[in-house]
Amino acid sequence: MFFANQLMKSLNVVGVVIENQIPEKDRSSLARKAMKYVGNPPVFFKKVTEVLDRTFVEKHQEYNNPEFALSFGDEGKQLFPDEDTEVLYTRGVNDINAPENCAWIRARQPDVIAVCGASIMKSDLLSIPTHGVLNLHGGLSQFYRGLFPTDWAIHNGEPECVGATIHFVSPGVDDGDVVYQGRPSISADDHPNSLYEKVVRLGVQMMVQAISDLERASIEAIPLKTRGALYLNDMFDVHAKRKAWSQIKNGVVSDYLSNKGQRDQRVRQALINEFQCPRS
């Protein structure tokens, strides 16, 4: 939502697609759910453990405290389109490639599609815009691809790898030609959520600049030479999340800041088209 609202302020946005990414809930009874797994003891035990964790452990985790919440404001909660911008809400999960949605997008005749957090797009959809599809990936693709790259960087003790990439979408995952990469400034009091917010805000600036470059035919896209590890949705479970936040408690950010120059060196050398933030 925040991404779309910021682009509508700066660019000629003819349409916004909000993709439903919430799976439909299993509304069957607890007994019926249990019967699905009772014949498979390892899976049954795992499901029971997950329920107990959600009920008695997860809600008491420190990262759920209000002071750690994301703060994108009202623009992170709802769209504020003008009268010339149409909005489409998809229905099913991973439904972005459905023929009716492709037809809706094609009818708007977009020069470029800007993406943030969408499902993998197939060739029919990728072929619609005249100048291609640009993605905001919330990580540095030569180090981290896939989902939750900010959290994984902290989880793995690598705050220096927190950053954002604007790249053309290719059939792979976060491995298309890079237009801009950038890294936010990191403070001693940062945590995974505050760093994620910084990455998104920086990424929005990078996307606006990339599309402006396209309009002036001055865009430079460089192939990604090395691909970072790919992290999938199921990999970032509660254990991984808690490990990332425990890293904060254990001083992972302070350790990085105390040796920032040396630890930044390998990342800076790998960056492609490093984005220079405009001075305010």
Side-chain angles (χ1 to χ4, degrees):
M1 293 290 185
F2 179 81
F3 174 81
N5 279 319
Q6 303 317 302
L7 265 59
M8 286 189 287
K9 289 180 180 179
S10 303
L11 303 165
N12 177 28
V13 177
V14 297
V16 176
V17 178
I18 302 296
E19 185 181 16
N20 173 26
Q21 295 183 329
I22 302 175
E24 196 170 323
K25 287 186 177 180
D26 182 354
R27 302 187 182 279
S28 58
S29 67
L30 186 59
R32 184 177 291 274
K33 290 177 184 176
M35 289 302 295
K36 293 180 183 178
Y37 308 110
V38 72
N40 189 333
V43 174
F44 179 76
F45 178 75
K46 181 183 177 184
K47 293 294 181 181
V48 170
T49 302
E50 289 174 352
V51 170
L52 292 173
D53 187 283
R54 286 196 301 269
T55 305
F56 299 108
V57 180
E58 176 64 16
K59 62 184 178 182
H60 298 297
Q61 295 300 305
E62 187 178 26
Y63 49 70
N64 291 317
N65 293 348
E67 63 265 30
F68 296 124
L70 294 171
S71 55
F72 288 112
D74 289 342
E75 291 185 325
K77 299 173 183 175
Q78 67 178 97
L79 281 182
F80 295 95
D82 59 35
E83 59 183 14
D84 296 323
T85 304
E86 299 180 86
V87 180
L88 170 68
Y89 291 85
T90 68
R91 290 176 290 184
V93 175
N94 298 325
D95 198 37
I96 188 68
N97 296 288
E100 62 271 22
N101 294 329
C102 289
W104 187 94
I105 295 170
R106 186 176 292 107
R108 270 91 205 142
Q109 300 181 321
D111 296 313
V112 62
I113 293 177
V115 177
C116 180
S119 301
I120 293 177
M121 301 166 74
K122 297 181 181 178
S123 57
D124 285 351
L125 182 51
L126 294 176
S127 66
I128 292 175
T130 308
H131 297 296
V133 179
L134 287 172
N135 179 51
L136 165 54
H137 168 56
L140 302 177
S141 299
Q142 55 271 73
F143 298 102
Y144 289 88
R145 295 181 302 125
L147 298 177
F148 306 107
T150 297
D151 298 83
W152 279 114
I154 299 302
H155 177 283
N156 295 340
E158 296 184 317
E160 62 270 25
C161 293
V162 170
T165 301
I166 301 295
H167 66 89
F168 281 101
V169 175
S170 65
V173 180
D174 300 327
D175 62 358
D177 291 358
V178 175
V179 179
Y180 283 119
Q181 290 191 310
R183 300 162 66 228
S185 61
I186 297 179
S187 304
D189 59 350
D190 271 324
H191 49 78
N193 283 351
S194 65
L195 289 171
Y196 171 73
E197 183 176 336
K198 287 181 177 181
V199 165
V200 171
R201 291 181 182 275
L202 173 61
V204 166
Q205 295 182 60
M206 291 163 54
M207 181 63 80
V208 170
Q209 185 62 53
I211 293 176
S212 298
D213 292 346
L214 264 178
E215 290 178 341
R216 296 192 302 269
S218 61
I219 199 165
E220 181 183 14
I222 297 177
L224 190 67
K225 292 181 180 178
T226 58
R227 303 194 308 170
L230 177 60
Y231 291 88
L232 304 178
N233 185 58
D234 291 345
M235 296 169 67
F236 195 68
D237 56 16
V238 292
H239 304 293
K241 184 173 184 177
R242 290 170 193 166
K243 170 70 180 297
W245 283 80
S246 71
Q247 289 277 58
I248 297 295
K249 272 190 171 182
N250 293 335
V252 68
V253 173
S254 300
D255 290 346
Y256 158 68
L257 293 174
S258 67
N259 196 21
K260 186 175 185 299
Q262 183 176 349
R263 294 190 47 181
D264 281 351
Q265 190 173 356
R266 73 179 180 102
V267 180
R268 292 291 299 272
Q269 290 174 344
L271 286 184
I272 301 171
N273 291 344
E274 183 175 5
F275 182 72
Q276 303 299 323
C277 292
R279 297 179 182 231
S280 54

